[in-house]
Each structure stands twice: as structure tokens, then as C-alpha cells.
Amino acid sequence: MTAASTTLYRPVGQAELDLIAASGYRRFPPRLPDQPIFYPVCNETYAAQIASRWNTAQGAVGYVTRFEVQSDFLAKYDVQVVGSKIHAEYWIPAEELEAFNDAIVGTIEVISEHRAEG
């Protein structure tokens, strides 16, 4: 029997996407020293807002990724709402990112690309 999974999203820039691709689209890269939390988000709308507003700064490209995570792994984390109800995300401590990656079911898929307007 297959364990239940939860669909999550993550807005990323080109450098992070390149590292995801290098993993065979199976893992997110380690956090940088000044990034103590990994923030996967709970819906595509919120991920697209971040990708289009933040990741496109200075002409950069933003991407939205979609992936499945074992629901039993996520159960130990609370959903954090950081604005309106669509702004829901998980806060995964950087030191737990490897375990999070191990709980990904299948591959990380790029579902949209965002470019700066103009």
C-alpha cells in the first residue's frame, strides 16, 4: 500500500533550479548559512506570487515547482499562515532539509516560469 502524500510548491530562481536539476529533480539544495528555514508553500497561487514578484528582480527568471511529500512526515510541522489564508507554508528547519528531501515522493516538477515585465 502506498503512503499518502501531500502536494507542495516551491518558488525558485535559476540557481536553485539548476541545483534541483543536478539532483535528477529529486532534492532541494542545502540552505545557505543565512537561511535557517526552508519554506515550501501549500498552494500554486502563493508560489506564483513569490516567483513573479520576488524571483524576477533585476530581470531574473522565477519558477514554480510542484512535488509530493509523504504526509506522515509533514504531520510533525504546523502550517504557518503569513498573510491572507492563501499565504500558507511550512517552516522546515535547515538541519531537517535532508529528511524532508528523503520524504519527497517521485520528482520535483517545474510547472510555470515567470519573467519580469517590460
Side-chain angles (χ1 to χ4, degrees), residues 7-13 16-17 20 28-31 35 37-44 46-48 50-51 55 62-67 89-90 97 100 108-112:
T7 303
L8 294 177
Y9 302 84
R10 172 129 175 104
V12 300
E16 188 171 358
L17 183 60
I20 293 166
F28 289 95
R31 305 303 289 156
Q35 299 172 325
I37 304 287
F38 177 74
Y39 302 95
V41 303
C42 299
N43 63 77
E44 184 177 350
Y46 181 28
I50 297 168
N55 294 106
Y63 302 92
V64 173
T65 62
R66 178 176 58 207
F67 54 98
E89 60 193 26
Y90 285 94
L97 182 55
F100 179 89
I108 300 164
E109 176 185 15
V110 177
I111 60 169
S112 65

Side-chain angles (χ1 to χ4, degrees), residues 68-86:
E68 298 287 323
V69 176
Q70 294 169 6
S71 297
D72 59 350
F73 177 84
L74 283 178
K76 64 182 172 182
Y77 303 98
D78 293 327
V79 172
Q80 306 293 322
V81 177
V82 295
S84 72
K85 66 181 180 180
I86 70 158

